Amino acid sequence: MPDTPKFPLSALGGLVVLAAIMVGVHFATGGSKGADLPSALQPIPQLPRGRSAWVPFEPIPVPGVPEVLAPAHPPVGHMSPALQSMLAANPRAATDFLDDSHHSLDHFYAALHAEDQGHGDVPVRIVHYGDSPTTADLITGDARQILQQRFGNGGPGFLLIDRPWAWYGHYGVDLAGDGWTIDTAVNSPRIGTYGLGGAVFTGSAGAHSRIKLQNADTTVVELQYLAQQNGGTVEVLADGNPAGTVQTAGGNGENGAATIVIPPGTKTLELRVTSGTVKLFGVALGREGRGLTYDSIGLNGASTTVMSRNFDEANFASALQHRRPDLVIINYGTNESTYLNYVRTQYEIELRRAIARVRAALPQASILVMSPMDRGLRGSGNSIGTYPAIPVIVQIQERVAKDTDCAFFNTYEAMGGEGTMERWYDGHPRMVAADLIHPSPQGARIVAQALTSQLLIGYERYVQTHPSR
């Protein structure tokens, strides 16, 4: 067997952020996981920019992006004048950054159409897997808000039990916990059971979490856990009042889930381990009825190998099937971009394997491969270029997406292509942090606008060719 390109293992050190200045510390160590399991990719220094406060969406003018994203978006079948004029003037260029030549998004669009017509019986669901910007709900938080303004609020979506990283966040939610032992799929020395979100939280009596809902928009709480023969008990409280009890005993290592209805307007949820030991994956926060949910599954320092190798395949498939997303977004590549030789020799194998796992678990769901953003590389003087591996990754992703009947969104080109981070860093306000990797809130919003704009245009086209049912 040929040698698989290896990467140094690393652990992320502490980070302190004051205003927009980030200091990242990481420690590299050597090692590998065996012949068929490459070592984890070295995490890039991460920026703790998770915003707990809900920021009202205000469209930012972006060249080539139509202004169709205001909260008062017209009903389907009645396109806004801006969108009509754009499609009439250049029907092809409007979605140049979104390749859906195989109609891979038709399942997702059909679910949106049913929601628009009032025929859907469950929320339209998106699950977005990514690395550190997703960890802080950057890009995904704005995309969630835009799409929920258009198709209805199905609730905050999936949330981890505690913060594995100080900058883990979710728009509109404050999360704090204590007493948990946390294991994530990133840099894990073994294949593990990590549920939907890539992390497992082990706690005994006294371990607890508190979730503050700034918008009080949750009426249904689903606790996802690992069922074990000697599993313990979790009590769920809504605004301090008992709402339900979850017994995690009775299984043999399978995924479990328990749903608890809470009073409308609840502002604080608490999870308390009252007996035994439990292993929890996360909570899905939703609302009774329809709408749209957008799960942000971001693992700090993650690469495609998290999905292709570190997740136990059967456990991962079970978690996906239980969540039943209509669209799965695979959004990695930034951490791989440090290693050009790996990208050229191994990356495509890992991407195809990750897609195959999702496809096997969800044969009907739409899959969208989303490229990484530009990543800045400092050169001589004050020059900033693009990491050489970034365009290579984008080319591989585009080709693999076509080969595997997935849609592809070219984030790199949509934000400006080569050298974008130099322009973003030199601009006022700055659209990227000093690490030339993580977008500022303004930069994240621009990327979210570009993505959702392309999806909305594709959806409008779908509706025009699929009569109401």
Side-chain angles (χ1 to χ4, degrees):
M1 174 184 291
D3 291 336
T4 299
K6 298 292 194 294
F7 297 89
L9 286 170
S10 64
L12 197 63
L15 298 172
V16 179
V17 171
L18 297 176
I21 300 175
M22 185 275 293
V23 179
V25 181
H26 63 278
F27 305 93
T29 61
S32 69
K33 297 179 183 176
D36 63 340
L37 287 177
S39 298
L41 294 170
Q42 178 178 353
I44 54 181
Q46 308 299 338
L47 179 65
R49 282 189 174 271
R51 288 174 287 166
S52 59
W54 185 271
V55 179
F57 173 70
E58 298 176 1
I60 299 174
V62 184
V65 178
E67 296 180 8
V68 298
L69 304 179
H73 187 82
V76 65
H78 300 279
M79 291 185 288
S80 67
L83 180 54
Q84 290 181 19
S85 61
M86 168 173 276
L87 295 180
N90 193 346
R92 177 179 175 275
T95 51
D96 269 353
F97 304 127
L98 177 63
D99 181 357
D100 189 28
S101 52
H102 293 289
H103 299 281
S104 309
L105 295 175
D106 277 6
H107 173 86
F108 174 56
Y109 291 153
L112 292 177
H113 198 187
E115 174 63 32
D116 257 335
Q117 296 178 306
H119 296 162
D121 56 357
V122 294
V124 178
R125 287 180 176 150
I126 301 171
V127 176
H128 186 139
Y129 285 93
D131 43 35
S132 52
T134 317
T135 305
D137 207 15
L138 290 171
I139 301 172
T140 50
D142 285 312
R144 180 185 309 113
Q145 187 176 5
I146 293 167
L147 294 176
Q148 286 186 339
Q149 286 174 343
R150 172 62 182 85
F151 296 102
N153 182 0
F158 183 85
L159 190 72
L160 295 178
I161 297 297
D162 196 1
R163 295 155 61 110
W165 310 277
W167 47 94
Y168 174 78
H170 191 101
Y171 285 17
V173 175
D174 286 331
L175 173 65
D178 188 49
W180 303 104
T181 299
I182 306 173
D183 180 25
T184 77
V186 180
N187 285 342
S188 174
R190 59 180 176 79
I191 297 172
T193 54
Y194 300 105
L196 183 74
V200 59
F201 301 79
T202 303
S204 300
H208 63 275
S209 293
R210 173 171 292 196
I211 303 167
K212 293 184 179 179
L213 303 168
Q214 295 179 7
N215 298 303
D217 56 355
T218 298
T219 59
V220 177
V221 177
E222 181 185 78
L223 181 63
Q224 300 179 8
Y225 59 88
L226 187 71
Q228 306 173 91
Q229 290 184 355
N230 298 317
T233 303
V234 180
E235 183 180 22
V236 179
L237 297 95
D239 287 336
N241 301 311
T245 300
V246 178
Q247 303 284 350
T248 69
N252 191 26
E254 302 91 4
N255 289 340
T259 299
I260 295 174
V261 177
I262 62 175
T266 296
K267 295 182 179 180
T268 301
L269 288 170
E270 293 179 76
L271 308 175
R272 296 179 181 173
V273 182
T274 55
S275 66
T277 299
V278 302
K279 289 183 178 293
L280 308 182
F281 297 128
V283 287
L285 307 178
R287 304 176 68 179
E288 293 177 299
R290 303 192 303 272
L292 179 142
T293 62
Y294 195 123
D295 296 341
S296 179
I297 312 290
L299 294 173
N300 200 62
S303 68
T304 310
T305 54
V306 167
M307 292 184 71
S308 65
R309 295 182 180 271
N310 292 17
F311 282 105
D312 174 80
E313 187 169 5
N315 180 269
F316 183 43
S318 173
L320 286 173
Q321 289 162 0
H322 177 75
R323 191 62 176 154
R324 292 174 57 195
D326 298 291
L327 171 64
V328 177
I329 299 176
I330 301 174
N331 181 200
Y332 297 110
T334 301
N335 287 300
E336 289 94 328
S337 65
T338 302
Y339 308 100
L340 183 58
N341 183 57
Y342 168 84
V343 170
R344 288 172 171 166
T345 60
Q346 184 71 15
Y347 175 71
E348 182 171 338
I349 295 172
E350 302 302 334
L351 178 58
R352 288 181 180 273
R353 182 168 177 168
I355 292 171
R357 284 187 164 193
V358 176
R359 182 82 72 198
L362 303 168
Q364 302 302 318
S366 297
I367 301 175
L368 171 66
V369 177
M370 181 175 175
S371 87
M373 297 180 291
D374 184 31
R375 179 178 180 182
L377 177 65
R378 296 187 183 276
S380 58
N382 294 322
S383 66
I384 298 173
T386 292
Y387 263 75
I390 288 289
V392 179
I393 289 171
V394 174
Q395 292 170 4
I396 292 172
Q397 289 177 335
E398 184 172 18
R399 183 181 69 253
V400 171
K402 287 182 179 179
D403 289 348
T404 56
D405 292 336
C406 296
F408 174 69
F409 178 70
N410 196 330
T411 317
Y412 172 67
E413 291 294 342
M415 66 186 291
E418 185 174 357
T420 294
M421 286 309 186
E422 180 175 38
R423 297 188 292 273
W424 278 27
Y425 186 71
D426 291 340
H428 300 282
R430 283 181 173 167
M431 298 294 179
V432 65
D435 62 5
L436 305 177
I437 299 168
H438 297 86
S440 69
Q442 296 92 336
R445 187 167 297 180
I446 285 177
V447 175
Q449 252 184 278
L451 171 63
T452 54
S453 175
Q454 302 279 274
L455 290 173
L456 287 170
I457 291 171
Y459 172 62
E460 296 280 5
R461 286 176 168 166
Y462 173 88
V463 169
Q464 301 308 313
T465 57
H466 292 75
S468 299
R469 290 173 284 179

